[in-house]
Amino acid sequence: MAHRIAFLGFVALAVCASMSLAAEPASLQDFCVADASSNTRMNGLACKDPAMVQASDFAFSGLHIPGNTSNAVGSRVTPVSVTQIPGLNTLGISMVRIDYAPWGINSLHTHPRATEILSVIDGSLEVGFVTSNPENRHITKILKKGDVFVFPVGLIHYQRNIGYGNAVAIAALSSQNPGVITIANTIFGSKPDINIDLLAKAFQVDKSVVWQLQSKF
């Protein structure tokens, strides 16, 4: 009986350990302000000496400033992650401001390390995400000012301004460094290029189409 209890205790400990490793590590101190000058390699960033920490390590100014949307997709993301606020290190959260020109898009992308919750501050957005194989279900909704929508971690998602005026959204992400993989840029703009034959077969298009897309990225 004692051996069984010990075994079950070991299993429970292993399950808890695996769950903790699936998320960002919990802080074991009040804070761990990122030390940008450190050469230490680790999952996250090394801590600054607490005696050297200042209020500026926990602050960011400028989120009220509209982003420049004069680009090919008509949107601009202003991040507020551990790069902008060193005090976010180990806290498992960040945020962004997204500005959209009329009919601008935040094109298909995914965050490999974070769930995103987005709130529309101004304008109207078409938003959506696609579930994993084999269903590949497209879940989409029209959002207006004050509406909130969640994009689950790792799933491909997007936003599109469906109004004739500018739109603004604020989003929070469940990681200090959520990462972003923009689908078109990743597939057609990789360095070196992904083999054209492979992409043509994957997308079931002529190789000339792939070449044209790669030339744009």
Side-chain angles (χ1 to χ4, degrees):
M1 183 70 176
H3 289 295
R4 185 178 180 185
I5 293 173
F7 174 74
L8 292 175
F10 173 77
V11 170
L13 181 62
V15 170
C16 290
S18 66
M19 290 176 66
S20 66
L21 290 173
E24 294 187 355
S27 180
L28 299 178
Q29 51 212 7
D30 288 343
F31 49 76
C32 172
V33 172
D35 183 358
S37 65
S38 174
N39 293 320
T40 303
R41 305 282 295 181
M42 58 190 300
N43 185 25
L45 298 167
C47 303
K48 181 187 287 189
D49 181 348
M52 303 299 293
V53 167
Q54 305 292 328
S56 58
D57 291 317
F58 300 92
F60 172 83
S61 297
L63 210 60
H64 64 293
I65 301 172
N68 182 0
T69 58
S70 299
N71 53 59
V73 295
S75 71
R76 177 70 63 184
V77 176
T78 303
V80 185
S81 65
V82 69
T83 302
Q84 289 75 35
I85 301 181
L88 284 176
N89 192 34
T90 75
L91 298 185
I93 193 169
S94 59
M95 66 185 299
V96 297
R97 169 183 171 137
I98 315 170
D99 290 273
Y100 312 83
W103 304 102
I105 64 169
N106 188 13
S107 60
L108 294 163
H109 65 282
T110 178
H111 302 293
R113 296 181 290 274
T115 290
E116 176 180 350
I117 182 167
L118 177 144
S119 177
V120 179
I121 304 302
D122 199 14
S124 298
L125 297 176
E126 173 192 353
V127 303
F129 64 85
V130 179
T131 64
S132 55
N133 297 348
E135 291 84 4
N136 298 134
R137 184 181 172 200
H138 181 202
I139 296 176
T140 183
K141 186 173 178 60
I142 302 299
L143 304 182
K144 298 181 179 179
K145 182 178 180 178
D147 290 345
V148 176
F149 195 81
V150 173
F151 304 104
V153 59
L155 296 186
I156 294 174
H157 59 282
Y158 65 89
Q159 303 103 40
R160 180 170 73 113
N161 183 2
I162 56 172
Y164 291 96
N166 295 330
V168 181
I170 295 288
L173 300 109
S174 60
S175 172
Q176 68 182 47
N177 183 25
V180 60
I181 301 171
T182 306
I183 306 307
N185 301 58
T186 302
I187 294 174
F188 299 109
S190 65
K191 303 298 180 190
D193 291 342
I194 298 174
N195 182 275
I196 286 182
D197 290 329
L198 187 153
L199 290 177
K201 183 171 286 189
F203 286 95
Q204 296 293 290
V205 297
D206 189 82
K207 285 188 270 189
S208 63
V209 175
V210 175
W211 181 86
Q212 184 179 18
L213 288 168
Q214 287 182 330
S215 69
K216 291 182 179 295
F217 293 95

